[in-house]
Amino acid sequence: MTVRIALPALALLLLATGGLGMAQADNKEAAAIASDEDGKYFDAEGNPTFKFENGTVDWYTFSGYRRYHSDCHVCHGPDGVGSSYAPALAESLKTMDYGTFISIVAEGRKNIGAGKESVMPAFGDNKNVYCYMDDLYIYLRARAVGDLPRGRPPKKEDKPESAKEHEASCMGG
Ligand code: HEC
């Protein structure tokens, strides 16, 4: 009797985990470069993505690494690995889309209840963060689905002109 119940349950479990593996492969696939513009890379949906080839990252992945370690790592842990206080963003970005990421970082999020307070601050008026939203997303996406190892990326592409212009107008204006 137990065997007859357990077998279909096992089949379901295998189906479910197979599905999970496929979803993660899909996310990796979704992050593939479909176009580029002056050293910035985009996926097929037009969302920013990373380039990581022969140990060299695109400029935005490198910049995101630096920004992450100045404004996010205190709570989310080095390299996006998470902490006892805040979730591992290198895991979150396996499934979280670009729009959701941007709105959480801009608006923050509060989770208060059961004697536990968990607060993601809003960075919508912090230039050091909002001027580099794409950089942060691109870096964390590379950590989540691009096999980017922990630590400072050793080699990077040159800083594109458009990144310099965006920085000057966003930080200055
Ligand atoms: C003061 C601590 C703190 C800092 C600094 C911080 N976060 Fe958070 N963040 C949190 C907490 C806590 C949560 C979980 C909130 C919740 O439970 O809803 C969170 C959640 C998030 C989420 C949602 C993750 C998920 O899996 O749902 C994203 C995305 C995020 N943070 C991005 C960032 C980025 C990018 C930065 C740096 C610019 C940053 N955070 C800086 C504390 C912080």
Side-chain angles (χ1 to χ4, degrees):
M1 191 61 191
T2 36
V3 173
R4 271 153 81 183
I5 292 166
L7 275 180
L10 186 67
L12 269 177
L13 191 73
L14 286 173
L15 264 174
T17 50
L20 201 68
M22 265 163 70
Q24 278 179 12
D26 286 353
N27 292 328
K28 197 168 181 170
E29 190 82 350
I33 297 169
S35 66
D36 68 270
E37 217 183 289
D38 190 24
K40 191 168 183 180
Y41 301 88
F42 300 90
D43 64 20
E45 288 190 8
N47 293 322
T49 194
F50 56 89
K51 185 178 176 187
F52 179 39
E53 262 175 38
N54 307 321
T56 303
V57 296
D58 66 291
W59 167 261
Y60 292 93
T61 298
F62 178 75
S63 168
Y65 163 83
R66 286 201 314 199
R67 298 291 158 186
Y68 177 87
H69 288 91
S70 73
D71 288 295
C72 318
H73 78 293
V74 285
C75 294
H76 288 281
D79 309 307
V81 298
S83 74
S84 55
Y85 181 66
L89 298 179
E91 288 300 318
S92 305
L93 268 74
K94 286 187 168 138
T95 50
M96 183 179 291
D97 66 32
Y98 177 62
T100 307
F101 175 83
I102 299 294
S103 67
I104 292 173
V105 181
E107 292 155 28
R109 211 168 70 184
K110 261 195 192 106
N111 216 337
I112 299 165
K116 184 181 170 261
E117 187 172 311
S118 173
V119 180
M120 164 64 193
F123 287 98
D125 57 5
N126 181 337
K127 283 185 181 183
N128 290 314
V129 173
Y130 78 66
C131 291
Y132 304 97
M133 280 288 201
D134 281 3
D135 312 44
L136 287 162
Y137 175 77
I138 291 166
Y139 163 67
L140 289 167
R141 197 176 192 188
R143 285 281 300 134
V145 302
D147 301 324
L148 182 70
R150 292 187 61 166
R152 183 187 178 92
K155 288 190 286 174
K156 59 179 186 296
E157 293 182 346
D158 290 340
K159 187 172 186 174
E161 275 309 313
S162 50
K164 293 179 193 165
E165 282 159 22
H166 169 75
E167 184 166 49
S169 70
C170 188
M171 292 298 283

